[in-house]
Amino acid sequence: MSLATICSICKKREAFFFRPYSGERLCKKCFVRSVESKVKATISKYEMLRFDDRLAVAVSGGKDSVSLLHILAKLEQKHPKSSLVAITVDEGIKGYRDEALKIAAANCEKLGIEHHVVSFKEIFGCTLDELVKLHKTNQKKRFSSCAYCGILRRKALNLAARHVDARKIATAHTLDDEVQTILLNIFHGDVLRIAREKPVTDAVHGKLVRRIKPFCEIPEKEVSLYAFIKKIKFQSIVCPYASEALRNDIRTMLNRVEERHAGIKFTIFNSIERIRFALEQVDSKERLGECEECGEPASEKLCKTCQIVKETLQHNRHSN
Ligand code: SF4
Ligand code: ZN
C-alpha cells in the first residue's frame, strides 16, 4: 500500500475517500466517525440542544433526513433524558411522496423511533398537486411550486412538532443547502433574509418551535457517502417539481466552482457567519402577531398559508 492510499487519521487502513478541502484521505471507518463527530461539534458549537430536549426530526425519506435521523438516534443514546420523534410531511405529490413515506416509516421502525405523518390535505384541505394545478392557470400565480411547498411544509411541521410536544425541530439542511439559500436570497434581492436563516432559529414567538440544522457544516456529498457506507435505505427518485427551481441552477454553479476551488462552500458559509451579527442589526426585527384566520404566527393580518389557501379556494370557485 503506498503512503498516498493510507488513511490520514488511523494511518492503518486503506483510504477510499479524498476530502479535497482538507487534504485528508480517509478509510471508511474514520470517514463515518469524522461525519458523526462533526455533527456533534456543530450541535455544541451553536448550542443546538439541551440534554433533556424532546427533538422532532423532519424526515422526508431522502438521504439527508434519513441519515440525520440515524446520527441523532446514535447521539441520543448517550442522553437518557432526551427523546426523539420523527415527523414526515406528506405534501401530496403523486408518484413521489408515497415511496418516501414507506422508507421514512421503515427507518423509524428499525431505529425504534416514534413516527408521525401529517398531510397537506388534512391540514390545508388540498394536496400540493391540486394547489399547483389550480395556480398554473392563474395569471397572478405568486410563487413557484417549491415556494408553495416550502411555506406550507414549514407550517405543517411546526403544527406537528407542537402536537408531539417537541421543543425543537431538526432539519437535514446540509452545507450545500445553506450556501444555496444564501445565494438564492441574494439572487431574489432578499438579502436581509439571510440574517434569519441560521443554524439555530431565534425564539421569536411562543408558537414557533425553534429549528436546528445539525448538518449545516457537512457537505451534501459526504452525507450521501455516509448513507451509502452505512447502507441506509433512502428514496432516490427526484421530486417532479424540482427542476423548476432556481435553486437547481445555483447548485450546479456552486458544484462547478467547488470542483475547481475546493472549500469555496465553507468560505461562503463562514463569511456569512462572520457578518451575521451586523446583518441582524440592520434587519428590522419582524414583529410577529397572530393570523386572524388560524391564530398561528404571522407578520401580516393573515399568515402566508392562509393567504395561499384563500387564493386557491377563490381560484377554484372561478374556474368551476
Ligand atoms: Fe416541495 Fe420543491 Fe422539494 Fe418538491 S422539490 S418536495 S415541490 S420543495
Ligand atoms: Zn393563518
Side-chain angles (χ1 to χ4, degrees):
M1 211 166 12
S2 81
L3 266 183
T5 59
I6 290 178
C7 172
S8 328
I9 297 183
C10 67
K11 314 254 190 278
K12 292 196 301 241
R13 290 178 288 265
E14 192 176 350
F16 88 113
F17 172 68
F18 174 60
R19 196 174 254 161
Y21 58 86
S22 68
E24 291 165 300
R25 289 176 198 280
L26 302 173
C27 70
K28 286 187 186 171
K29 209 167 182 173
C30 291
F31 170 79
V32 164
R33 270 198 209 139
S34 79
V35 171
E36 291 169 356
S37 356
K38 186 71 197 242
V39 173
K40 214 170 144 189
T42 305
I43 291 175
S44 71
K45 176 173 158 192
Y46 294 101
E47 297 176 350
M48 291 183 173
L49 288 174
R50 279 179 19 172
F51 72 102
D52 59 350
D53 268 347
R54 177 160 166 82
L55 178 65
V57 189
V59 181
S60 67
K63 63 175 181 349
D64 300 343
S65 63
V66 179
S67 300
L68 178 65
L69 187 71
H70 279 253
I71 295 180
L72 290 175
K74 197 167 177 182
L75 295 179
E76 196 239 354
Q77 286 171 355
K78 297 190 185 114
H79 299 276
K81 289 205 168 160
S82 65
S83 61
L84 276 188
V85 46
I87 296 175
T88 303
V89 178
D90 177 5
E91 303 91 347
I93 305 172
K94 207 168 181 314
Y96 168 67
R97 198 38 98 208
D98 318 334
E99 194 206 357
L101 279 170
K102 283 190 203 133
I103 293 173
N107 276 285
C108 291
E109 202 186 323
K110 190 174 170 200
L111 296 165
I113 293 171
E114 191 183 323
H115 185 213
H116 293 261
V117 180
V118 284
S119 73
F120 278 9
K121 186 83 182 177
E122 75 189 75
I123 301 180
F124 308 115
C126 60
T127 64
L128 185 70
D129 283 340
E130 289 165 354
L131 195 143
V132 168
K133 200 170 156 205
L134 272 168
H135 283 266
K136 224 174 205 161
T137 50
N138 183 357
Q139 295 306 313
K140 285 190 291 183
K141 178 181 170 189
R142 289 201 294 159
F143 306 111
S144 66
S145 309
C146 287
Y148 281 123
C149 183
I151 294 168
L152 267 56
R153 181 159 9 91
R154 197 170 266 255
K155 180 159 172 182
L157 258 179
N158 191 58
L159 289 171
R162 287 216 317 266
H163 181 72
V164 298
D165 274 333
R167 277 176 61 95
K168 284 180 192 125
I169 301 173
T171 59
H173 293 92
T174 61
L175 173 71
D176 294 59
D177 296 315
E178 292 309 278
V179 176
Q180 287 158 18
T181 304
I182 291 167
L183 293 190
L184 205 56
N185 283 326
I186 294 175
F187 285 14
H188 279 150
D190 204 357
V191 74
L192 290 177
R193 215 189 158 87
I194 295 171
R196 282 168 251 158
E197 303 277 354
K198 47 191 190 174
V200 186
T201 56
D202 294 328
V204 284
H205 191 288
K207 286 185 177 173
L208 264 190
V209 182
R210 295 178 73 189
R211 292 162 168 262
I212 64 168
K213 300 173 184 172
F215 273 174
C216 66
E217 294 181 340
I218 313 266
E220 190 182 321
K221 208 174 171 180
E222 296 192 18
V223 177
S224 308
L225 204 53
Y226 181 90
F228 174 73
I229 298 173
K230 300 289 278 179
K231 298 191 172 60
I232 291 172
K233 283 209 173 76
F234 58 85
Q235 189 201 29
S236 46
I237 315 171
V238 179
C239 172
Y241 301 116
S243 59
E244 291 175 20
L246 169 61
R247 184 180 282 276
N248 262 347
D249 298 330
I250 294 178
R251 175 186 294 122
T252 311
M253 176 189 80
L254 272 168
N255 286 345
R256 210 171 287 157
V257 183
E258 178 75 31
E259 212 155 275
R260 291 168 62 95
H261 308 276
I264 212 92
K265 290 175 189 168
F266 276 109
T267 308
I268 300 175
F269 180 84
N270 291 331
S271 302
I272 294 299
E273 286 310 302
R274 280 179 67 192
I275 60 164
R276 180 173 301 290
F277 181 72
L279 272 175
E280 283 176 341
Q281 302 309 303
V282 188
D283 184 29
S284 58
K285 289 268 175 287
E286 203 177 33
R287 276 183 51 86
L288 283 184
E290 286 181 1
C291 170
E292 285 181 354
E293 192 74 32
C294 68
E296 289 300 308
S299 51
E300 297 167 63
K301 271 190 183 171
L302 287 186
C303 71
K304 279 227 169 64
T305 32
C306 285
Q307 289 177 27
I308 292 172
V309 171
K310 208 169 166 187
E311 280 168 21
T312 310
L313 287 177
Q314 269 169 2
H315 192 67
N316 199 6
R317 240 176 266 135
H318 289 310
S319 48
N320 282 337

